Amino acid sequence: MAAKLTTPTKDSVKKALLDGATADDVLNAQRILRDTLGDEQLSRTASEYLGAEVDNAASNFIKSGLKNINSRAEQISALLAKDETGRALEGFRSALFRVLRESSKRVDPETGKTIPGVNTRKLADTIEEVRPYLEKFYGPDSMALLET
């Protein structure tokens, strides 16, 4: 039912309810929309402070290699620190998580196609490899969440 309420207006909510949606479906659609718009705002804010698209910046950071990652972490941290609201940092952390998750996709060894789920071993190894640099952006509680 949530698909019917991608932009919940008064009329679309009434129609969805007539088509069998429940009040929980309406609330879920509104939550998804709010979360999606919030994520987009955070991404735009981070992109503005970084001067680059935030997902690309996060991907380049993770892929920069251990030789350059410390200086890159310092540069990114300095740029994000200019945002007194902390929203740019939130946006970059979200992008880092997306990149970590994307780089840990499961792949069918026979077909080479992506299959649902995350390769948890690969994710854990990547997090461990860049842990000191991730800690510049994530606090202890957030790092604990990354590891679960």
Side-chain angles (χ1 to χ4, degrees):
M1 290 297 156
K4 295 180 181 180
L5 296 171
T6 54
T7 308
T9 63
K10 183 178 178 180
D11 291 336
S12 66
V13 170
K14 283 182 180 180
K15 182 175 181 340
L17 290 171
L18 290 173
D19 290 344
T22 66
D24 285 339
D25 293 329
V26 172
L27 291 174
N28 191 39
Q30 289 174 329
R31 181 191 55 79
I32 290 169
L33 180 62
R34 183 188 65 239
D35 291 350
T36 300
L37 291 175
D39 287 347
E40 289 174 11
Q41 288 174 334
L42 291 174
S43 290
R44 280 195 303 276
T45 301
S47 293
E48 284 180 32
Y49 280 91
L50 294 172
E53 200 279 319
V54 70
D55 287 333
N56 290 340
S59 180
N60 291 337
F61 172 73
I62 295 294
K63 294 176 183 175
S64 65
L66 293 178
K67 181 179 177 184
N68 300 323
I69 199 167
N70 188 44
S71 63
R72 192 70 188 119
E74 294 295 333
Q75 291 170 344
I76 291 170
S77 183
L79 290 171
L80 296 174
K82 293 178 183 179
D83 174 24
E84 296 174 359
T85 68
R87 294 180 59 78
L89 177 59
E90 277 185 71
F92 186 68
R93 280 195 300 244
S94 294
L96 278 174
F97 179 74
R98 285 190 298 272
V99 168
L100 289 167
R101 188 184 63 219
E102 182 74 21
S103 68
S104 302
K105 282 185 175 178
R106 292 179 52 213
V107 177
D108 184 321
E110 293 177 14
T111 64
K113 293 184 178 182
T114 301
I115 55 178
V118 172
N119 180 336
T120 53
R121 172 59 27 217
K122 185 175 181 183
L123 178 61
D125 289 346
T126 302
I127 290 171
E128 198 54 41
E129 181 181 0
V130 296
R131 170 181 296 286
Y133 313 106
L134 289 176
E135 289 174 345
K136 290 188 180 290
F137 307 106
Y138 292 99
D141 292 340
S142 297
M143 285 301 296
L145 284 174
L146 273 181
E147 296 166 342
T148 58

